Amino acid sequence: MQEAVIHIHPAGALLALVGNPNCGKTALFNSLTGSRQKVANYAGVTVERKEGRLTTTAGRALRLLDLPGTYSLQPRSPDERVTADVLYGRARGEKRPDLVVCVVDATNLRRNLKLVLAVRRLGLPAVVVLNMADLAEARGLSIDTDALAHELGLPVVRTVATRGTGVDDLRRLLDEPSAWKQRSASSAAATAGTPDSEAGDHEAVHQILVRLGLEGHAPELISDHIDRVVLHPLAGPVLLAVLLFAVFQAVFTWSVAPMDAIKAGTEWLGQLAATTLPQQGAWHWLNSLVVDGVIAGAGGVLVFLPQIVILFFFILVLEESGYLPRAAFLLDRLMGGVGLSGRSFIPLLSSFACAVPGIMAARTIGNPRDRLVTILVAPLMTCSARLPVYALLIGAFIPARRVAGGLQLQGLVLFGLYAAGIVGALAVAWLLKRLTTSGQVRTLMMELPAYHVPTVRNIAIGLWQRVRIFLRRVGGVILLLTLALWFLASFPAPPAGFTGAAIEYSLAGRLGHLLAVIFEPIGFNWQISIALVPGMAAREVLVSSLGTVYALGATADDTAAALVPLIAGSWSLATALSLLAWFVFAPQCLSTLAAVRREASFSMAATTAAYLFVLAYLASFATYRIALAFGLG
């Protein structure tokens, strides 16, 4: 006998926004709810759930659920499956909507109305929002909303969500009893979303468009003229490369000032705590916990927030403008050759700032195999956390001189490290394509939306949501791990008269000596092995960890500066090159592995850690041995 499960839902009627991707559904959601939004996950899945609260003209408070975009009720991805389950009332822990708001792109009725017909068959109260009405009129499309309402048997309201036009009309409509009229479910509701019902919907939409006088009306658009350049087989990839170069330049140049401010604030707070809390006696551990654990751990997370915000700003702008789907289309052939699809482009692009949001972005990939492969290779993208390590080693061992064409040698080495990560990711994807029996990549089919001017409101709301997600999911993981590793590096305390660094006597130090046996074949000494232990929390921690190992008592910036001549005099070039190769591939970021576990499974996280470790060890071993053969030891 199964135990009954009771779900308690918040008070208030629940409205669900439903629509095709790129129909302006999210813009309408933002206009209706503003900042009164809550982001979470649906029960049992990693698909993002967005709910807000709106108030009608009469003052009635309603809950508004923004369902993932879908083309039909026959799900092809995790996102679409959530939408279908919610509408059918089978989503675990989710109330079936009291009313469905079907958002329709007025410029593409042929595709959008098919979803409206599928929703209508479910028998739920529904209204239709004819969005992007201004674009339809600009294209010469004259849509009679009363006639369309008569054809559909549902109330229709015209809106321009990006400007807020028509939103008040929708609020007034929600106060009318006719909008909440319960409709009897069609006998075809049980088969809604099947190929047969979709074929019937296609013919029904055709007849509706004929009666409205809209069939065959397809004027040439400004977007068509732009796409002749943007999607050109030669000019398109060049334009994309230039755009990506500009984005990455902005990520690493615009973020300097805010990152320096965060570093300065963290150092000031750390110094304040260090002088305020007891430094001697039995409570000295509290000083170390707060300064070296809490403040340093939180600062290590926050310092990279500017780069995350800048990158997501560009991603949101490109997404809202309509360019991002075109970038995926341009890269589909290249990525398809190694076993991925063009939809993997956006997650991998996000991974250059941090692999965690990149892994989260893989949710939009419908093909389960493509999604898992994208998650597996996302950690190979050169994230911003590697930059402090690269800068330290390049500054210590690569001379600052110009080579052919006036290019900086150090800059070329850094570019080579980025390229190595990309090539490694493509190679792993190609190998997985060869090894998996069902590794055929489906042809990319996506609708290219019209170009739009991004709105400041939507960009701001999108950025704020991503900032909260980043701080909550990433900051918590890194902070907890930093505190755990602080404990390992601080206890037990060395006895009186101990002449070495305190960390050498600690649990982390003892573990480092054990690991040195494993890492000796790739040129790592015991100091590097110790530094790798706290570096597991985040790659950039290696710099401060090396400073601790070498007993350097200075600020983070001074530590990095002092380490350059120190390691240059005590390490061989072969060791430095081996460590660079290690950080190109190594799984030195537990927050990334935690994200893989959340988005896939524990076994997938373990697989990711194992293959990255093996790949990093082999790359470091080959690099070290080749360097020794050339006399660089």
Side-chain angles (χ1 to χ4, degrees):
M1 178 176 168
Q2 291 184 338
E3 183 179 354
V5 179
I6 301 176
H7 295 293
I8 301 177
H9 303 286
L14 178 66
L15 279 66
L17 281 179
V18 178
N20 291 176
N22 305 308
C23 69
K25 179 170 55 66
T26 300
L28 180 62
F29 179 77
N30 291 337
S31 295
L32 289 169
T33 62
S35 60
R36 294 168 295 177
Q37 301 179 9
K38 182 179 179 181
V39 181
N41 277 359
Y42 285 95
V45 295
T46 58
V47 177
E48 193 173 82
R49 180 187 186 278
K50 292 203 310 184
E51 180 181 327
R53 298 193 68 86
L54 69 91
T55 305
T56 67
T57 305
R60 183 183 182 187
L62 302 172
R63 297 166 54 210
L64 184 63
L65 184 63
D66 185 13
L67 291 177
T70 182
Y71 289 109
S72 73
L73 297 185
Q74 182 182 7
R76 299 175 177 86
S77 71
D79 283 7
E80 294 182 344
R81 186 172 299 110
V82 164
T83 298
D85 288 344
V86 171
L87 293 179
Y88 278 105
R90 58 185 181 226
R92 182 161 59 94
E94 187 71 81
K95 174 184 177 181
R96 196 181 191 195
D98 298 294
L99 184 143
V100 180
V101 180
C102 299
V103 185
V104 172
D105 179 359
T107 65
N108 194 353
L109 292 179
R110 182 185 303 279
R111 178 183 293 275
N112 284 246
L113 288 182
K114 288 192 289 186
L115 180 60
V116 175
L117 296 182
V119 171
R120 188 181 64 178
R121 280 197 298 271
L122 300 179
L124 292 171
V127 299
V128 176
V129 173
L130 192 65
N131 196 33
M132 303 185 189
D134 57 335
L135 295 180
E137 293 173 358
R139 300 176 186 183
L141 294 174
S142 179
I143 304 175
D144 187 337
T145 54
D146 292 334
L148 179 61
H150 176 74
E151 292 286 346
L152 297 175
L154 300 172
V156 177
V157 61
R158 185 190 303 260
T159 66
V160 181
T162 55
R163 300 178 185 173
T165 306
V167 174
D168 290 338
D169 295 335
L170 177 58
R171 295 181 191 273
R172 283 191 290 270
L173 176 61
L174 295 176
D175 284 324
E176 298 180 8
S178 59
W180 299 84
K181 180 181 178 182
Q182 186 75 31
R183 292 169 174 79
S184 58
S186 166
S187 60
T191 61
T194 64
D196 291 340
S197 65
E198 289 188 353
D201 289 342
H202 180 79
E203 177 60 27
V205 169
H206 172 73
Q207 295 300 327
I208 291 174
L209 295 179
V210 168
R211 288 191 290 270
L212 294 177
L214 299 173
E215 180 63 21
H217 190 91
E220 192 171 36
L221 312 174
I222 297 178
S223 294
D224 298 328
H225 295 285
I226 298 176
D227 281 341
R228 290 194 181 100
V229 177
V230 171
L231 299 181
H232 190 274
L234 295 179
V238 172
L239 179 62
L240 175 60
V242 172
L243 183 61
L244 292 179
F245 177 80
V247 168
F248 286 121
Q249 286 294 308
V251 167
F252 295 120
T253 55
W254 294 6
S255 62
V256 172
M259 290 179 71
D260 289 343
I262 294 175
K263 289 179 182 177
T266 302
E267 291 175 8
W268 174 84
L269 187 60
Q271 292 173 0
L272 179 63
T275 55
T276 303
L277 297 174
Q279 301 185 33
Q280 304 296 331
W283 289 94
H284 74 280
W285 63 268
L286 179 62
N287 187 301
S288 177
L289 173 63
V290 174
V291 176
D292 301 326
V294 177
I295 296 178
V301 176
L302 292 175
V303 73
F304 293 102
L305 183 59
Q307 291 181 328
I308 304 298
V309 171
I310 292 171
L311 180 60
F312 269 115
F313 167 77
F314 282 105
I315 291 177
L316 288 171
V317 169
L318 294 176
E319 184 178 19
E320 280 234 338
S321 66
Y323 180 79
L324 215 51
R326 290 164 170 85
F329 175 80
L330 288 171
L331 292 174
D332 182 57
R333 178 173 296 181
L334 170 64
M335 303 185 77
V338 298
L340 294 171
S341 73
R343 294 189 185 274
S344 301
F345 165 73
I346 298 174
L348 296 182
L349 174 66
S350 303
S351 298
F352 277 102
C354 178
V356 173
I359 292 170
M360 291 164 53
R363 301 168 180 172
T364 59
I365 302 175
N367 188 330
R369 178 202 166 275
D370 290 356
R371 179 172 175 266
L372 289 178
V373 172
T374 302
I375 291 175
L376 280 172
V377 303
L380 290 171
M381 298 295 103
T382 302
C383 66
S384 58
R386 289 179 170 99
L387 288 179
V389 180
Y390 289 169
L392 172 69
L393 298 180
I394 291 174
F397 293 96
I398 306 301
R401 60 184 176 88
R402 296 185 181 274
V403 294
L407 299 175
Q408 283 283 353
L409 179 59
Q410 292 180 332
L412 289 177
V413 172
L414 182 61
F415 175 79
L417 293 171
Y418 270 82
I422 297 173
V423 172
L426 296 178
V428 171
W430 178 85
L431 183 62
L432 290 174
K433 176 184 178 182
R434 297 293 178 181
L435 294 179
T436 53
T437 55
S438 59
Q440 298 297 324
V441 180
R442 289 189 277 181
T443 303
L444 177 65
M445 297 183 63
M446 62 178 0
E447 181 182 354
L448 297 181
Y451 290 100
H452 302 282
V453 177
T455 58
V456 176
R457 177 188 177 87
N458 291 338
I459 297 296
I461 292 177
L463 281 178
W464 174 239
Q465 290 174 347
R466 282 157 178 81
V467 166
R468 288 194 303 176
I469 291 172
F470 177 80
L471 293 178
R472 184 174 65 249
R473 298 185 180 179
V474 185
V477 172
I478 291 183
L479 183 58
L480 289 176
L481 291 175
T482 300
L483 293 177
L485 291 168
W486 165 86
F487 177 83
L488 292 177
S490 302
F491 295 97
F498 186 77
T499 57
I503 191 175
E504 188 176 349
Y505 189 81
S506 67
L507 294 174
R510 298 174 188 181
L511 179 60
H513 281 287
L514 294 176
L515 292 176
V517 179
I518 301 174
F519 291 117
E520 188 274 335
I522 62 177
F524 291 3
N525 55 27
W526 67 268
Q527 291 96 336
I528 297 176
S529 301
I530 292 175
L532 290 178
V533 176
M536 292 176 64
R539 296 178 178 94
E540 67 276 11
V541 178
L542 181 81
V543 176
S544 59
S545 300
L546 286 173
T548 303
V549 172
Y550 285 104
L552 294 175
T555 64
D557 292 340
D558 293 337
T559 297
L563 275 176
V564 170
L566 185 60
I567 65 176
S570 58
W571 296 0
S572 68
L573 179 57
T575 294
L577 294 176
S578 176
L579 188 57
L580 283 174
W582 173 267
F583 268 89
V584 170
F585 302 105
Q588 285 293 113
C589 183
L590 293 183
S591 60
T592 298
L593 298 179
V596 174
R597 183 193 63 80
R598 282 196 306 268
E599 300 297 318
S601 63
F602 178 82
S603 61
M604 186 61 63
T607 301
T608 302
Y611 102 81
L612 288 176
F613 181 85
V614 172
L615 192 60
Y617 197 94
L618 293 177
S620 294
F621 182 85
T623 301
Y624 184 64
R625 297 301 167 180
I626 293 174
L628 290 179
F630 279 92
L632 302 178

